Amino acid sequence: MIFTNFKAELKIVSPGRINLIGEHTDYNNGFVLPTAIDKNIYFYFKKNNSNNHCNIYSKSYDRILELDLETVKPSKIEWENYILGVINELQNITNKIKGFDCIIESDLPIGAGISSSASLECGMALGLNTLFNLEQPLNTLIKLSRAAEHNYVGTKCGIMDQFAVVMSKKDHVILLDCESLDYEYIPINISPYKFLLLNTNVSHNLASSAYNKRREECEEGLKIIQMEYPEIGSLRHVDLSILEQFKTEINPIIYNRCYYVINENSRVIEAAENLKSGDLKALGTLLYKSHYGLENHYEVSCDELDFLVEFSKYNNEILGSRMMGGGFGGCTINLIHEDAIESYVTKVSKVYKDIFGIELTPITVSPSQGTSIQLNQYS
Ligand code: GLA
């Protein structure tokens, strides 16, 4: 058996991510405020001395993906596409990948909106880059991981997840400008508050198609604005006074999408300032406003998420709450006093179960460093 007595040459640790604020702004060239978390996917790699043959074992799915580097193509199985997509993109640029074996294990919940997909892509990209000395810079690995998701999975995602997974620094968030990819690390000094994720454990199946639809709707709004302002390249450069001029021309749904994106971009900048000055109350208020926009103007929330955000408002120890990530399920992120976490989780889980008949999973996270290389052996 390939995977018995497996002696790895290389171990890669690739985290998930949270996003404080700035949802659906990345593909509009706007701002985001994410960071990696202390939940990871672990990769154990070794070369197998063949030219083309690769075996990748996922412990979570208890499945082996076997592939020939000469004939890489999309699979019907979603998780395989994140890997195949990365191999394809990386091989196109370098043509230096040879046969390898890899074991993947994870303590990162899947489908919870904390980017297990970007973690998988970026861990694979960094692993192969290291194993075969491909010498690709981190920015290239980040972008090709995103391309893998576009071309093999079909989600036309932005750059936030891959950037956060690779570039994060412990105890900081990244204020990322998704147009220039300029970024600033901002220390997270929020004690005695903490970020608590509440996983709805639902993932409504429109997620990928509705995600792409939102992106198209933003592009449609932008096109109308560009007829008058051809110099504007993205919604990032549209302000509310410009948008207002198109109130009658843009259909109301598209108008709302643009309205949300413009406001959310401003909220990210404000939130970064609040974080620097320690104004956690103001930060919390922005989280609630962000959720209001995601629910009503961008329409990517769902009943389970809306309930959790609404319920949090009755607890004084919670300063803010909102849905996090692409939407239609996954987690809320809550800014909560650390002493209140236990009792709140007990209370909200019970009510959530009564209403939806689903278990709620709390996930406490700390801001952590991005994807890292460890050379120890698998045991
Ligand atoms: C998903 C995408 C990101 C981003 C978020 C929403 O996580 O992968 O690029 O668009 O949704 O903010």
Side-chain angles (χ1 to χ4, degrees), residues 74-140:
S75 151
K76 290 197 177 67
I77 299 168
E78 192 178 88
W79 70 267
E80 295 187 352
N81 281 327
Y82 296 108
I83 294 168
L84 293 165
V86 165
I87 294 174
N88 176 56
E89 299 291 334
L90 206 45
Q91 191 67 321
N92 281 348
I93 309 178
T94 64
N95 206 21
K96 279 192 190 158
I97 303 175
K98 300 260 184 270
F100 69 92
D101 299 332
C102 176
I103 296 177
I104 303 175
E105 57 188 17
S106 171
D107 57 29
L108 191 60
I110 295 164
I114 45 181
S115 262
S116 53
S117 45
S119 172
L120 190 54
E121 292 152 9
C122 297
M124 189 45 69
L126 188 66
L128 295 177
N129 195 47
T130 313
L131 192 67
F132 294 105
N133 295 317
L134 304 179
E135 294 179 343
Q136 297 302 309
L138 291 182
N139 257 2
T140 305

Side-chain angles (χ1 to χ4, degrees), residues 17 22-24 26-27 157-158 160-161 211 325-326:
R17 67 99 188 89
E23 229 57 271
H24 292 271
D26 58 354
Y27 53 81
C157 62
M160 168 172 75
D161 299 349
Y211 183 94

Side-chain angles (χ1 to χ4, degrees), residues 263-335:
N263 281 301
E264 182 77 350
N265 258 330
S266 314
R267 283 190 284 264
V268 179
I269 301 300
E270 224 181 297
E273 291 307 321
N274 294 157
L275 204 55
K276 285 181 194 167
S277 66
D279 192 345
L280 299 185
K281 244 182 141 186
L283 176 63
T285 305
L286 290 172
L287 299 189
Y288 281 127
K289 285 190 176 163
S290 169
H291 186 82
Y292 183 87
L294 288 159
E295 178 187 348
N296 298 293
H297 296 132
Y298 216 66
E299 295 182 278
V300 289
S301 188
C302 61
D303 291 348
E304 294 85 352
L305 291 165
D306 295 342
F307 163 77
L308 290 176
V309 171
E310 210 41 48
F311 196 77
S312 76
K313 293 181 183 163
Y314 296 94
N315 192 314
N316 290 336
E317 308 287 4
I318 298 177
L319 299 182
S321 173
R322 64 175 199 85
M323 56 148 276
M324 195 184 70
F328 306 104
C331 292
T332 58
I333 178 167
N334 303 272
L335 182 56

Side-chain angles (χ1 to χ4, degrees), residues 2-277:
I2 310 155
F3 293 108
T4 38
N5 297 323
F6 189 89
K7 290 263 181 287
E9 294 169 51
L10 171 69
K11 177 180 176 186
I12 299 284
V13 181
S14 191
R17 67 99 188 89
I18 53 171
N19 184 26
L20 262 54
I21 196 161
E23 229 57 271
H24 292 271
T25 45
D26 58 354
Y27 53 81
N28 287 302
N29 278 356
F31 299 98
V32 291
L33 206 55
T35 182
I37 53 174
D38 54 338
K39 305 270 178 292
N40 300 292
I41 301 182
Y42 306 89
F43 300 75
Y44 302 89
F45 285 95
K46 75 176 186 56
K47 293 182 197 134
N48 64 16
N49 301 322
S50 78
N51 256 340
N52 296 316
H53 197 79
C54 307
N55 305 286
I56 299 155
Y57 173 58
S58 158
K59 276 200 164 178
S60 310
Y61 293 106
D62 190 21
R63 239 190 97 89
I64 296 175
L65 161 64
E66 245 188 288
L67 65 110
D68 184 328
L69 290 169
E70 298 278 293
T71 56
V72 175
K73 58 174 187 332
S75 151
K76 290 197 177 67
I77 299 168
E78 192 178 88
W79 70 267
E80 295 187 352
N81 281 327
Y82 296 108
I83 294 168
L84 293 165
V86 165
I87 294 174
N88 176 56
E89 299 291 334
L90 206 45
Q91 191 67 321
N92 281 348
I93 309 178
T94 64
N95 206 21
K96 279 192 190 158
I97 303 175
K98 300 260 184 270
F100 69 92
D101 299 332
C102 176
I103 296 177
I104 303 175
E105 57 188 17
S106 171
D107 57 29
L108 191 60
I110 295 164
I114 45 181
S115 262
S116 53
S117 45
S119 172
L120 190 54
E121 292 152 9
C122 297
M124 189 45 69
L126 188 66
L128 295 177
N129 195 47
T130 313
L131 192 67
F132 294 105
N133 295 317
L134 304 179
E135 294 179 343
Q136 297 302 309
L138 291 182
N139 257 2
T140 305
L141 300 181
I142 290 169
K143 287 181 186 165
L144 73 82
S145 295
R146 175 184 55 178
E149 192 149 339
H150 285 203
N151 300 332
Y152 267 56
V153 183
T155 308
K156 306 290 180 196
C157 62
I159 198 76
M160 168 172 75
D161 299 349
Q162 293 78 10
F163 199 94
V165 163
V166 173
M167 299 297 290
S168 289
K169 189 165 142 184
K170 193 173 170 4
D171 298 329
H172 291 71
V173 280
I174 307 177
L175 173 60
L176 172 66
D177 176 337
C178 297
E179 183 171 65
S180 61
L181 296 191
D182 287 344
Y183 60 98
E184 181 189 343
Y185 291 115
I186 302 177
I188 303 202
N189 296 320
I190 58 167
S191 176
Y193 286 83
K194 283 226 152 91
F195 291 115
L196 167 70
L197 305 185
L198 292 176
N199 186 0
T200 57
N201 285 313
V202 295
S203 169
H204 294 293
N205 55 9
L206 349 130
S208 183
S209 59
Y211 183 94
N212 291 346
K213 180 101 198 295
R214 292 299 176 280
R215 190 172 178 148
E216 284 163 20
E217 287 168 341
C218 291
E219 281 160 12
E220 203 179 317
L222 178 65
K223 255 193 209 141
I224 297 173
I225 295 167
Q226 281 173 332
M227 287 188 213
E228 207 66 33
Y229 295 95
E231 71 283 6
I232 291 182
S234 66
L235 284 184
R236 144 80 176 277
H237 297 289
V238 178
D239 63 24
L240 288 177
S241 67
I242 295 181
L243 181 66
E244 181 73 30
Q245 296 165 28
F246 296 87
K247 184 115 200 181
T248 51
E249 278 162 73
I250 299 181
N251 106 25
I253 292 181
I254 308 281
Y255 189 89
N256 279 344
R257 308 297 191 239
C258 300
Y259 180 83
Y260 161 79
V261 169
I262 294 167
N263 281 301
E264 182 77 350
N265 258 330
S266 314
R267 283 190 284 264
V268 179
I269 301 300
E270 224 181 297
E273 291 307 321
N274 294 157
L275 204 55
K276 285 181 194 167
S277 66

